Amino acid sequence: MTRTVIIAEAGVNHNGDINLAKRLIEVAAEAGADYVKFQTFKAENLVSKSATKADYQQKNTQNDGTQFDMLKKLELSYNDHYVLINHCNKHNIKFLSTAFDDESFDFLETLNLDYIKISSGDATNQPFLVKVAKYNKKVLLSTGMCTFDEVKEAVEVLLDNGLKKELITVLHCNTEYPTPLEDVNISAMCLLSRELNVKVGYSDHTLGVEIPIAAVALGATVIEKHFTLDKDMKGPDHLASLSPGELKEMTSAIRKIEVALGDGIKRPSQSEKKNIMVARKSIHVNREISAGCLLEKSDLVIKRPGNGIQPKYLTEIIGRRLKHNLSNDSIVKWEDLD
């Protein structure tokens, strides 16, 4: 059984409050996620002061200031990171964060985290990809807004600059918050796996829990999903995030799907072996037949149970002579025949 890496994406849903961030960690741990992930950036390094917000950001923040103003309020200090890592350790969940600028990336690398997460916005940022590749550690590459050729090019840049293919997981993604179901195109994840021969996962921004669960059934090895303490809180991502209860529901469902996927070998399961003789059929006689008689097709019928001669041997026993009498409805066994 392959275990899916479940990343509970806290993102910026802490609203700049370290205590809210700590509570998000606790919720992710309670839900059974493997990682809780935040975002690391310096607003002045990430966005110009005149940059506009995305439509969903404008809607969810009531047009309160520029994108720079919004992000500045959502920064985590370097010291905050140490506090949050300690809180993760206390609650037995691992810490991750996405770096959105070079300075933040350099800082995160001092923390020796398990993964480098590349955001969808940096999937075409080749200088950044070159920098990431040189660390030769596990990479999660989100691919929202990308064409297939752009994803292929990003993977090639990583490989050409020293990153081993087995360290790459490409995450199918759509960056609209929330993503309309008709835009999910989850089959594209399977295309990425097939054509690029890399591990794949899914970073989800739909409402509800169904789509990431479906992604696991289709082969996702990593699931990333936003969550919040309260969908009604002010901030850009709360409305498209899971509630604590939904996060727990998603995690539980994914673990069940993992068990159900099994090993892919088609064989009777241990639990159903007892049903084989009950549900399968075998060859019976449909009248009383005396010893010495030759069996004719009209003498034979196929019915349950299945502990006699299998139906596939019907033509082989036609014309065989009985060794002893068989009463009507008796099962025919090989030892009954000459």
Side-chain angles (χ1 to χ4, degrees):
M1 181 180 72
T2 300
R3 182 176 172 86
T4 308
V5 175
I6 299 178
I7 301 172
E9 171 70 63
V12 294
N13 282 345
H14 50 77
N15 287 358
D17 184 334
I18 191 68
N19 291 317
L20 288 181
K22 286 181 177 181
R23 182 58 189 141
L24 285 164
I25 288 170
E26 294 164 11
V27 166
E30 290 164 4
D34 298 297
Y35 293 87
V36 59
K37 191 174 77 64
F38 293 87
Q39 296 178 6
T40 304
F41 54 85
K42 297 288 188 183
E44 57 269 23
N45 296 337
L46 174 58
V47 62
S48 69
K49 293 185 179 180
S50 61
T52 59
K53 297 177 183 176
D55 288 346
Y56 76 88
Q57 292 173 336
Q58 292 178 5
K59 178 180 178 181
N60 295 343
T61 59
Q62 292 80 48
N63 295 311
D64 183 16
T66 65
Q67 185 178 171
F68 177 88
D69 296 331
M70 176 188 73
L71 292 173
K72 194 64 183 175
K73 298 174 184 176
L74 299 173
E75 287 182 3
L76 291 172
S77 71
Y78 290 167
N79 186 65
D80 288 339
H81 286 70
Y82 296 119
V83 171
L84 296 179
I85 289 171
N86 287 334
H87 205 64
C88 284
N89 292 337
K90 180 180 177 182
H91 291 275
N92 198 31
I93 189 170
K94 294 185 177 182
F95 177 91
L96 279 181
S97 192
T98 304
F100 284 84
D101 58 82
D102 285 351
E103 180 184 340
S104 297
F105 175 81
D106 292 338
F107 168 69
L108 286 183
E109 284 311 295
T110 69
L111 303 179
N112 196 31
L113 304 180
D114 289 350
Y115 290 93
I116 296 173
K117 172 63 194 299
I118 300 172
S119 72
S120 292
D122 281 317
T124 57
N125 182 354
Q126 292 197 7
F128 186 70
L129 299 179
V130 170
K131 183 172 186 173
V132 167
K134 295 187 183 303
Y135 284 85
N136 206 37
K137 64 187 292 186
K138 290 188 288 187
V139 168
L140 302 173
L141 172 64
S142 275
T143 58
M145 306 173 291
C146 287
T147 65
F148 172 78
D149 286 342
E150 286 173 332
V151 179
K152 182 179 179 182
E153 188 173 24
V155 170
E156 288 173 348
V157 170
L158 293 171
L159 294 175
D160 290 346
N161 286 277
L163 187 61
K164 297 176 182 176
K165 179 175 279 192
E166 59 266 27
L167 296 177
I168 300 173
T169 302
V170 175
L171 304 184
H172 178 54
C173 179
N174 182 297
T175 60
E176 181 66 3
Y177 290 68
T179 302
L181 289 179
E182 60 269 23
D183 289 344
V184 170
N185 193 23
I186 201 169
S187 297
M189 182 188 72
C190 304
L191 171 73
L192 295 172
S193 174
R194 183 172 63 251
E195 296 297 325
L196 300 178
N197 192 29
V198 293
K199 289 179 288 188
V200 293
Y202 178 56
S203 179
D204 184 50
H205 300 125
T206 63
L207 298 175
V209 302
E210 297 88 351
I211 306 305
I213 294 168
V216 172
L218 288 173
T221 62
V222 175
I223 291 294
E224 180 180 85
K225 180 75 171 176
H226 280 263
F227 75 106
T228 181
L229 300 178
D230 185 345
K231 296 183 183 184
D232 292 328
M233 293 176 72
K234 185 178 179 181
D237 297 341
H238 294 287
L239 282 173
S241 300
L242 296 181
S243 68
E246 288 173 324
L247 180 62
K248 183 177 287 189
E249 178 187 353
M250 183 194 78
T251 301
S252 175
I254 286 173
R255 297 301 178 220
K256 290 176 182 177
I257 291 295
E258 290 169 349
V259 174
L261 284 172
D263 60 13
I265 299 171
K266 179 58 182 172
R267 60 180 181 275
S269 71
Q270 195 61 42
S271 65
E272 70 175 344
K273 285 181 179 178
K274 64 183 181 297
N275 299 328
I276 291 175
M277 291 300 104
V278 175
R280 287 186 176 177
K281 298 176 180 177
S282 58
I283 299 171
H284 293 57
V285 292
N286 61 9
R287 66 182 182 88
E288 185 176 317
I289 304 179
S290 302
C293 289
L294 298 179
L295 289 174
E296 299 180 5
K297 186 176 181 181
S298 60
D299 298 325
L300 303 172
V301 65
I302 295 170
K303 60 172 66 175
R304 293 174 176 175
N307 57 333
I309 297 174
Q310 293 182 46
K312 66 180 180 179
Y313 297 112
L314 178 65
T315 57
E316 293 186 27
I317 71 170
I318 293 172
R320 298 282 294 269
R321 192 179 303 276
L322 283 180
K323 289 182 178 179
H324 46 74
N325 297 340
L326 287 181
S327 60
N328 181 29
D329 214 29
S330 294
I331 295 173
V332 181
K333 298 183 178 180
W334 289 113
E335 54 265 33
D336 296 328
L337 307 175
D338 277 334

